[in-house]
């Protein structure tokens, strides 16, 4: 059963569950970054205050590295913290770019995906993540197949359009399908076709796309990296996750406490322990105030 986040009128013991938070892992879109400039400033100040008391922040986002970096830089996260991109497809250290884990889509299934694009007359965008050996340099590429050939993707990354799967020799981390191309029964048919490929998983990211990824990829990968750092023991120091959509469910399951903002999806709410009284950035700030109060009183 989901509970309302404690408020200023709540009994003091309701804040006790939020003591000993070692790490807070947050989604970005729909959770943190929506809100005006004064609100975002308050969020950054609260993150700084909470980190001074020994609770550290991480991010788990469906965005690419280049699409999320500036937003993460603005949060003031500590150098060396594991963060996740591509919904957990890539986990790396913030500020050092040391890659901790990469889950690639098996190249064996790429012909099936190209066939799916041809069969349903839909675009597929293939995301490639590269890091040059022995460097911190990151590069990302987008390849596409399908009937509507736009110049760039939602992150303003240039798309290289392909007619053959043989041109894809890199590690594919994520594949996106534009939901606007899936009218009527086509969306169910596409999901059925993808479900027949056991090495893949697909999920609605809430941003207008269906994401295809390796079946072992999820946002909970970043929680595993945090636990290996040695600070988070569920009996003493907890990992708290906050998000808003179905692609946050695995993150919630891997964490000790899970919180959704009030604009969260039905699926996310079913798997969360607490719900904020407000949407997006305002709800996230509300959660930070609860944690600060718990740090003060317990």
């Amino acid at each position: 059963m989901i509970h309302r986040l404690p408020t200023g009128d709540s009994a003091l013991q309701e804040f006790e569950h939020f003591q000993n938070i070692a790490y807070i892992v947050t989604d970005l879109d729909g959770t943190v970054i929506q809100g005006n400039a004064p609100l975002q400033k308050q969020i950054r100040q609260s993150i700084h205050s909470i980190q001074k008391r020994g609770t550290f922040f991480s991010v788990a986002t469906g965005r690419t590295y280049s699409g999320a970096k500036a937003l993460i830089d603005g949060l003031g996260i500590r150098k060396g913290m594991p963060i996740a991109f591509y919904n957990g497809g890539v986990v790396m250290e913030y500020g050092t770019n040391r890659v901790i884990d990469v889950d690639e889509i098996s190249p064996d299934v790429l012909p099936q995906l190209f066939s799916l694009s041809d069969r349903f007359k839909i675009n597929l965008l293939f995301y490639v993540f590269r890091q040059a050996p022995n460097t911190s340099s990151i590069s990302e590429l987008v390849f596409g197949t399908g009937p509507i050939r736009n110049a760039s993707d939602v992150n303003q990354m240039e798309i290289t359009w392909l007619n053959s799967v043989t041109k894809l020799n890199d590690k594919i981390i994520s594949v996106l399908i534009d939901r606007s191309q899936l009218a009527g029964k086509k969306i169910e048919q596409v999901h059925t076709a993808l479900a027949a490929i056991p090495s893949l998983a697909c999920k609605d990211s809430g941003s207008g796309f269906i994401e295809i990824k390796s079946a072992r990829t999820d946002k909970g990968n970043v929680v595993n990296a945090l636990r290996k750092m040695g600070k988070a023991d569920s009996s003493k120091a907890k990992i708290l996750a906050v998000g808003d959509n179905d692609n946050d469910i695995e993150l919630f399951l891997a964490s000790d406490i899970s919180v959704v903002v009030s604009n969260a999806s039905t699926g996310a709410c079913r798997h969360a322990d607490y719900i904020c009284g407000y949407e997006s950035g305002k709800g996230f700030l509300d959660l930070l105030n609860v944690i600060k109060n718990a740090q003060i009183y317990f």
Side-chain angles (χ1 to χ4, degrees):
M1 177 180 174
I2 194 168
H3 302 280
R4 284 281 177 184
L5 207 63
T7 68
D9 297 325
S10 300
L12 190 60
Q13 60 264 31
E14 292 186 37
F15 291 84
E16 190 172 1
H17 194 49
F18 294 88
Q19 67 172 321
N20 297 327
I21 303 295
Y23 303 107
I24 299 168
V25 187
T26 181
D27 173 50
L28 290 178
D29 295 281
T31 304
V32 176
I33 62 175
Q34 273 73 23
N36 58 30
L39 177 62
Q40 292 301 311
K41 183 178 179 181
Q42 285 181 278
I43 287 173
R44 290 193 297 271
Q45 289 172 338
S46 289
I47 288 174
H48 177 71
S49 173
I50 289 170
Q51 288 191 142
K52 284 180 67 176
R53 291 188 171 97
T55 297
F56 300 106
F57 285 76
S58 173
V59 166
T61 179
R63 289 188 178 225
T64 63
Y65 170 81
S66 59
K69 185 178 183 303
L71 296 170
I72 296 172
D73 287 346
L75 294 178
I77 291 174
R78 296 290 179 92
K79 184 176 180 179
M81 292 301 301
I83 52 178
F85 304 96
Y86 298 98
N87 284 320
V90 174
V91 179
M92 57 193 294
E93 284 185 355
Y94 175 70
T96 70
N97 286 2
R98 184 179 76 85
V99 174
I100 298 170
D101 189 28
V102 175
D103 287 346
E104 66 175 302
I105 292 173
S106 170
D108 295 340
V109 305
L110 295 181
Q112 292 170 266
L113 293 177
F114 268 70
S115 176
L116 182 143
S117 174
D118 290 338
R119 175 185 170 190
F120 293 104
K121 302 296 186 290
I122 55 174
N123 284 10
L124 297 182
L125 297 180
F126 299 84
Y127 286 81
V128 168
F129 179 89
R130 292 176 178 171
Q131 184 174 42
N134 303 314
T135 75
S136 62
S137 177
I138 300 295
S139 62
E140 295 168 299
L141 300 172
V142 188
F143 296 92
T145 184
I148 303 173
R149 302 205 163 191
N150 299 320
S152 59
D153 77 338
V154 68
N155 299 300
Q156 303 306 309
M157 296 172 66
E158 182 180 356
I159 302 171
T160 300
W161 291 96
L162 304 175
N163 295 315
S164 170
V165 69
T166 58
K167 298 288 183 68
L168 280 173
N169 299 316
D170 286 281
K171 290 183 178 180
I172 308 300
I173 305 301
S174 176
V175 180
L176 294 185
I177 303 174
D178 187 342
R179 281 183 60 93
S180 66
Q181 294 183 292
L182 300 177
K185 293 183 178 180
K186 188 184 284 188
I187 185 167
E188 182 179 344
Q189 293 168 342
V190 168
H191 274 290
T192 299
L194 290 169
I197 308 175
S199 65
L200 296 180
C202 64
K203 187 156 291 185
D204 189 334
S205 67
S207 58
F209 293 92
I210 292 173
E211 182 188 17
I212 304 167
K213 57 187 182 178
S214 163
R216 76 184 192 96
T217 296
D218 64 61
K219 284 187 176 183
N221 290 347
V222 75
V223 175
N224 297 333
L226 288 168
R227 293 201 190 280
K228 289 177 182 177
M229 295 180 72
K231 185 179 178 182
D233 178 337
S234 60
S235 66
K236 296 179 181 178
K238 304 180 182 73
I239 295 176
L240 181 148
V242 55
D244 76 309
N245 219 303
D246 289 7
N247 62 339
D248 296 312
I249 291 172
E250 290 96 346
L251 177 64
F252 293 168
L253 295 175
S255 302
D256 302 303
I257 305 173
S258 53
V259 181
V260 289
V261 288
S262 67
N263 54 302
S265 69
T266 301
C269 289
R270 278 201 301 264
H271 291 82
D273 300 312
Y274 290 90
I275 185 169
C276 301
Y278 303 97
E279 295 184 357
S280 301
K282 193 173 181 181
F284 184 70
L285 181 61
D286 189 27
L287 170 64
L288 298 186
N289 288 331
V290 167
I291 292 169
K292 283 198 291 184
N293 285 330
Q295 289 175 330
I296 292 169
Y297 292 112
F298 294 98

